[in-house]
Amino acid sequence: MLNVTRLSSGYGEVNVLNDITFSVGNEIFAVLGANGAGKSTLLKTLAKLIPVTQGHIEWQGRDITRAPAYSLPAQGVAYVPQEHNVFSDLSVAENLSVGALTGSRTRDEKLDEIYELFPRLADRKDQFAGSLSGGEGQMLAVSRALMQDPSIILLDEPSAGLSPLFVDTLFEKISEIRQQKSVTIVLAEQNATKTMEIADRLLVLSLGEVHLLKPVKELDMKQLMEAYHI
Amino acid sequence: MAYLIFSISLLLIYMGLAQLLHVQFGMLGIPNFGVVGFWGFGMYGVAVFNVQFGWPFLFALVITCLLVAILAYGLGMLILRLEGQAILCATLAFSAIVTLLVITEKWLTFGVVGLGTIQYPVRIGAATEIIYFMLLLLIIGSFQLAINKLHQSRLGRLTIAIRDNEELAASLGKDTFKTKLILFTLTSCLMGMLGGLSAPLNQFLTPNMLVPGVTFAVWIALVLGGKENTFGAMLGVFITFGLFDILVETYLPVSPEYAVMVPNFKLFLYGAVLVAVLVYRPAGILNNRQAHTRWPNADLS
Ligand SMILES: Nc1ncnc2c1ncn2[C@@H]1O[C@H](COP(=O)(O)OP(=O)(O)OP(=O)(O)O)[C@@H](O)[C@H]1O
Ligand SMILES: [Mg+2]
């Protein structure tokens, strides 16, 4: 369970998020919003990469508001940034090994599973990650998060820059992972229609504030449109 | 003959500095432009303890290394969280301060008058220099072995991850600041040790040995050789220090009227070689791979 209470954060002097409150259970929790609404900022704040200016973050009963970023993987939190999300000077296999120390399974066990899930990565395991295509890079970034055996994955816009066909495959994989491992997923997305197919609940951000917080089933499309038209 | 041994001993010292800078910049991405500061502090530290305080060489060396380590640790705490340019300026300033202190604190260093004579730790007649050279060779060789080990280790992979994308490495559970701080302290301390070992080579020290040119020579060597491997950096030292400082400046017969031009000509040649390498071999002389683009997810297909 992730509890976020009255959270504010931003970059130095610039405040981006204001008074955000929500909690995430064992589900796919989508964060939607227009460009610049603050989706990435929210995920970065949850990953502790930018400081919280106000409010609290609680994960599995523990207050992590002031915890350093590097302490989160050991607590089951994995984060996949929107961009710059692979180590371009390391090979695919090396990328997967960095941060594979958490969890009880051995690295090889996890690697086998990843290569089964994404056979394309197995073919390219010695290639430098910097020379992967956009889609392959996303697969790698998601896979590296899975190597941590996380309880929650903060996934920032995995569909960015991918062809519609590939987005379909990726989202299928995400729900597959969700079902197999019952891992919680916080998914920031631009692509509302696609996201609504797999998400359980939605948080819509608008100018850094909560515009809407609802189960997908009860969603009123008009409200959703409003958030994007500001 | 003695001069030749002196020259190649100094060459080895520079190679050691290049190896250490390879760890700092090539592996961790820390742009240390204060190489001469750590090296010079080590050299003067040993000289002051040895000559002024009368401490035995080895004891002076150990204490000096400890001091350099403390200094590097403190400096690292202050600067390693900053951006690249800030680190560059701070380390450059650090080395300028070291030089300035050496000039002004005359009671310790004799300022521009110079400090000497620093004796070799043990004297074995005419063979002393050669044995000292062998010792340096041994040290540089073990640096090389250690760095090779580091490259193949999990820690080595982590350093490259940190250089590549520190934020991402942190979000994968790595205490990147601590890793950088420990390795920076260790390698800077070893730079100080190389400085201490240079003291008996030079015997008589003056502040004009502590010029930024030392830092630049090591940096240029690193760029020439390519930051990916240490052999490159060592080859780079052969070209900068070996070819220019030793061969051109001391062995090339130049008539006195042109002699004043040699140091400037050297800098000009450094520059020319640097530009040529950057244009034709962007990843270093030994590296025929294209310099790696830093655009993640670049679609090259
Ligand atoms: N490093 C930064 N420094 C200052 N302001 C920033 C920084 N990064 C983002 N911002 C600002 O914060 C706001 C929210 O940006 P954020 O990246 O969170 O948006 P987003 O919802 O993820 O958008 P997108 O869909 O385009 O990814 C924007 O106005 C942006 O300009
Ligand atoms: Mg974003």
Side-chain angles (χ1 to χ4, degrees):
Chain A
M1 188 83 168
L2 176 73
N3 290 314
V4 175
T5 355
R6 314 213 56 178
L7 180 79
S8 299
S9 80
Y11 305 89
E13 301 282 285
V14 194
N15 207 48
V16 176
L17 297 178
N18 276 310
D19 205 11
I20 308 269
T21 302
F22 63 90
S23 39
V24 183
N26 195 350
E27 60 186 325
I28 296 190
F29 184 85
V31 180
L32 296 180
N35 287 117
K39 304 180 294 294
S40 298
T41 308
L42 177 60
L43 261 55
K44 269 187 217 165
T45 312
L46 296 179
K48 303 309 327 302
L49 291 169
I50 50 181
V52 174
T53 46
Q54 254 165 49
H56 294 280
I57 308 171
E58 194 189 272
W59 164 242
Q60 290 178 335
R62 257 195 248 160
D63 186 354
I64 57 163
T65 315
R66 300 268 166 262
Y70 63 79
S71 70
L72 293 189
Q75 303 186 48
V77 182
Y79 166 65
V80 181
Q82 177 173 350
E83 40 195 17
H84 308 298
N85 54 16
V86 297
F87 299 108
S88 37
D89 289 346
L90 294 180
S91 72
V92 168
E94 286 170 332
N95 259 277
L96 290 171
S97 302
V98 178
L101 294 174
T102 51
S104 54
R105 296 185 303 154
T106 66
R107 192 187 70 180
D108 290 337
E109 253 175 277
K110 296 189 229 175
L111 270 180
D112 287 344
E113 187 189 83
I114 297 288
Y115 289 150
E116 206 173 302
L117 190 64
F118 295 110
R120 254 166 109 151
L121 292 181
D123 301 337
R124 289 169 173 69
K125 60 174 185 277
D126 296 318
Q127 191 175 327
F128 277 105
S131 62
L132 293 176
S133 79
E136 290 161 354
Q138 287 298 0
M139 286 185 213
L140 178 57
V142 172
S143 303
R144 201 194 36 233
L146 291 175
M147 291 292 284
Q148 293 173 244
D149 269 348
S151 323
I152 186 169
I153 305 180
L154 310 169
L155 195 52
D156 196 353
E157 230 170 295
S159 72
L162 301 186
S163 68
L165 197 70
F166 200 86
V167 174
D168 286 346
T169 333
L170 192 69
F171 273 50
E172 263 164 42
K173 296 274 186 199
I174 292 173
S175 30
E176 199 180 313
I177 292 162
R178 157 90 194 124
Q179 271 149 27
Q180 276 175 11
K181 300 177 164 274
S182 91
V183 47
T184 301
I185 295 176
V186 177
L187 177 65
E189 261 299 337
Q190 202 45 254
N191 191 333
T193 14
K194 273 276 145 233
T195 308
M196 279 157 60
E197 286 173 16
I198 61 166
D200 298 299
R201 283 194 305 147
L202 287 183
L203 168 74
V204 182
L205 287 177
S206 166
L207 297 175
E209 289 178 13
V210 177
H211 182 80
L212 197 71
L213 175 59
K214 269 202 170 152
V216 173
K217 292 196 193 88
E218 298 167 18
L219 192 73
D220 178 350
M221 279 313 269
K222 237 172 53 205
Q223 281 175 312
L224 183 63
M225 298 309 280
E226 267 172 33
Y228 279 83
H229 279 249
I230 285 178
Chain B
M1 184 63 191
Y3 190 76
L4 184 68
I5 293 173
F6 163 77
S7 304
I8 50 180
S9 295
L10 223 49
L11 186 82
L12 282 179
I13 299 267
Y14 272 70
M15 281 186 176
L17 291 176
Q19 288 171 323
L20 295 167
L21 187 64
H22 161 79
V23 176
Q24 293 187 340
F25 181 69
M27 298 184 76
L28 279 162
I30 303 170
N32 178 5
F33 262 77
V35 175
V36 70
F38 296 105
W39 176 77
F41 191 99
M43 188 161 72
Y44 259 93
V46 165
V48 166
F49 289 141
N50 186 242
V51 176
Q52 300 278 59
F53 295 17
W55 294 357
F57 179 84
L58 215 60
F59 184 60
L61 184 66
V62 170
I63 298 296
T64 303
C65 286
L66 275 176
L67 283 180
V68 180
I70 293 169
L71 216 61
Y73 184 84
L75 188 67
M77 288 286 272
L78 289 176
I79 66 172
L80 289 179
R81 280 184 218 277
L82 305 178
E83 298 273 306
Q85 287 105 319
I87 294 179
L88 194 156
C89 294
T91 47
L92 196 61
F94 161 76
S95 66
I97 292 170
V98 171
T99 309
L100 212 64
L101 283 178
V102 165
I103 296 173
T104 55
E105 301 308 302
K106 300 186 182 72
W107 58 282
L108 264 184
T109 63
F110 288 122
V112 290
V113 176
L115 180 63
T117 319
I118 305 107
Q119 301 289 350
Y120 283 102
V122 274
R123 293 210 62 91
I124 316 149
T128 308
E129 280 92 357
I130 294 183
I131 289 174
Y132 201 73
F133 166 75
M134 302 290 237
L135 176 79
L136 290 176
L137 200 62
L138 200 72
I139 290 173
I140 303 310
S142 34
F143 278 9
Q144 187 59 44
L145 284 180
I147 291 171
N148 283 349
K149 272 252 151 50
L150 183 61
H151 268 283
Q152 284 146 17
S153 71
R154 183 173 274 159
L155 179 62
R157 206 167 54 212
L158 174 60
T159 61
I160 291 169
I162 291 175
R163 178 190 77 194
D164 215 355
N165 191 336
E166 187 171 350
E167 198 174 82
L168 189 57
S171 75
L172 288 167
K174 310 297 178 185
D175 189 344
T176 57
F177 178 72
K178 198 167 117 195
T179 309
K180 286 200 296 187
L181 186 60
I182 291 173
L183 284 174
F184 177 74
T185 304
L186 183 71
T187 45
S188 299
C189 167
L190 290 174
M191 284 179 177
M193 183 187 87
L194 289 175
L197 290 171
S198 324
L201 280 178
N202 287 317
Q203 291 183 3
F204 191 78
L205 309 184
T206 55
N208 63 12
M209 290 172 170
L210 310 189
V211 286
V214 176
T215 302
F216 297 149
V218 178
W219 264 95
I220 291 169
L222 197 71
V223 175
L224 291 183
K227 62 178 184 178
E228 299 293 338
N229 68 53
T230 35
F231 284 115
M234 286 157 74
L235 181 73
V237 169
F238 256 112
I239 297 175
T240 55
F241 188 76
L243 207 62
F244 293 135
D245 287 61
I246 300 181
L247 271 183
V248 176
E249 279 196 4
T250 52
Y251 287 101
L252 204 70
V254 187
S255 67
E257 57 208 286
Y258 293 115
V260 283
M261 284 173 58
V262 168
N264 295 327
F265 182 63
K266 177 183 89 179
L267 285 180
F268 167 75
L269 279 182
Y270 272 12
V273 172
L274 195 60
V275 169
V277 168
L278 287 177
V279 170
Y280 294 107
R281 290 244 150 178
I285 300 174
L286 290 186
N287 237 326
N288 48 24
R289 174 156 84 87
Q290 283 297 304
H292 213 65
T293 47
R294 298 256 312 165
W295 306 318
N297 295 343
D299 196 339
L300 300 180
S301 58

